Amino acid sequence: MIFEILTTFPGIIEAVAGESIIRRARDKGLVEVEAVNLRDFTSDKHKTTDDSPFGGGPGMVMKLEPVFDAVDTLISRRPGKVRVALMTPQGERFDQAKAEQLARENHIIMICGRYEGVDERIRRHLVTDEMSIGDYVLTGGELAAMVVVDAVARLVPGVLGDESSAESESFSSGLLEYPQYTRPAQYREYSVPEVLVSGNHKEIEKWRREHSLRRTLERRPDLLNSAPLTEEDRRTLVRIRKEE
Ligand code: ADE
C-alpha cells in the first residue's frame, strides 16, 4: 500500500508517520508513506505554490501547475491504478466504510490543500476523491491526510499485531465497542463487573453484546439504523428501552 502525500509541509507528514504503529508498518514494508514536497515541482526562483485569485478578493489559491506536474511524475514512476485524493472541508465525509474501501487500493496520492483553496481545475480534472475528516476547518490538509493514512493503514493485513483487533472494534461491527477493563479487579471503591471475572465465556459474550448495544443506543442511536442486528439484539434493545 503506497501513500504519496503532496504538501508544502513534508515535516508534518514525517512527524506523524515516523511514530508508533505506522512507523513499524513502514519498517516492515507493509505500507509506504512518502511526503512529496510540492516546491520541488515549481519553476520560479521563489518556489511559489500559490497565487492571488482571478477576479480579485482576499486570500491565495493553490496553483495548478506544480500539482499537475507532481501527480504526473508520481504516476509515471509507478504506473497502474491510482486514486488521487484532495483533502478539503468541502469533500465527502471520511468514515470507516471509506477507510475499508481505500484499504483495498494499492496506490493513493493525496493532495493537501493550503491557503484559501485550490485552483478548481485540480478538482475537476485531476482528483478522483475529495475527502473531509469533519465539519471544521484546519489550516491545511496535512493532518486530515494523516488521519486517513492512519485509519486505512491499520486495516492493511499485518499492520496490527493481532489480526482480530481491527474487526472487533467500534464501527466495524456497526456498533460502538463494549466497555473494557483490566487488572486490578478492585481499585478504591471501583470494581469490575462480576461477570467479566467469572470465567464463563458464554455469559461474557452476552454481557459484551448487550453493553455494545447499550452504549450505541445511548451515544450513537443513529448507528442502529444500519447495524446488522439479530433477533436477540432487537429483543435486548426493547428490554433496555423499557428500563428508562
Ligand atoms: N483541510 C482543511 N480542513 C479540512 C477538513 N476538515 N478535512 C479535510 N481537509 C481539510
Side-chain angles (χ1 to χ4, degrees), residues 91-109:
E92 171 199 359
R93 178 79 69 88
F94 179 71
D95 61 10
Q96 192 65 26
K98 184 78 179 182
E100 281 161 19
Q101 186 198 102
L102 294 179
R104 293 191 284 273
E105 300 288 336
N106 292 320
H107 186 191
I108 303 174
I109 296 173

Side-chain angles (χ1 to χ4, degrees), residues 12 30 51 62 67 74 80 103 113 127-128 140 160 163 167 186 204:
I12 301 178
L30 296 169
D51 204 343
M62 201 164 181
V67 177
L74 296 179
V127 157
T128 59
L160 297 183
E163 285 301 320
E167 272 155 34
Q186 186 79 38
I204 291 170

Side-chain angles (χ1 to χ4, degrees), residues 130-144:
E130 293 188 35
M131 288 190 277
S132 165
I133 62 161
D135 289 343
Y136 38 81
V137 182
L138 303 167
T139 55
E142 285 77 8
L143 291 174

